[in-house]
Amino acid sequence: MDEEKIIFSAVLIIVAIASKWFCTYLIVKNKIEMKPKAIAWGMVLRGIPGFTFASIAVAGGLISSELFTVLVLIISATTWIGLLGLEMSLKSGSQSHK
């Protein structure tokens, strides 16, 4: 993978994580008596269905194998980072949601 695709992938990973986390956090922070950060991290790692869609798209010729590789990288990274964030937020002792 060339440098341009690596940079593109890194930017998309950051955008994917930030947008999922902040949107979820802002929606649930005052609505649910749970840890909104844990819920937000739980939504970040919901990239697994993306593997199915990307596989179908590449098999059907809708996307190139290069784009498939980028998508798999993004899905994998957001899943792993989401899992780590969820684990850290659940281990934190704070029960406050504000």
Side-chain angles (χ1 to χ4, degrees):
M1 198 179 321
D2 62 23
E3 183 178 343
E4 183 178 301
K5 288 183 182 78
I6 292 171
I7 292 170
F8 179 68
S9 298
V11 169
L12 286 181
I13 289 168
I14 292 167
V15 169
I17 291 170
S19 62
K20 289 179 184 181
W21 195 92
F22 283 112
C23 288
T24 305
Y25 181 78
L26 292 174
I27 289 169
V28 302
K29 75 176 186 171
N30 293 319
K31 308 249 187 270
I32 298 175
E33 293 297 321
M34 294 176 68
K35 294 181 178 183
K37 290 180 183 177
I39 295 169
W41 281 116
M43 292 306 293
V44 168
L45 62 90
R46 300 233 346 114
I48 300 300
F51 281 121
T52 303
F53 296 127
S55 297
I56 292 169
V58 76
L62 299 172
I63 62 172
S64 68
S65 61
E66 288 180 340
L67 181 55
F68 177 75
T69 302
V70 170
L71 291 172
V72 168
L73 176 64
I74 293 165
I75 294 164
S76 299
T78 58
T79 300
W80 281 104
I81 293 168
L83 286 170
L84 292 172
L86 179 61
E87 180 181 12
M88 288 188 307
S89 66
L90 290 175
K91 284 184 177 179
S92 70
S94 174
Q95 294 296 322
S96 174
H97 67 285
K98 293 187 180 185

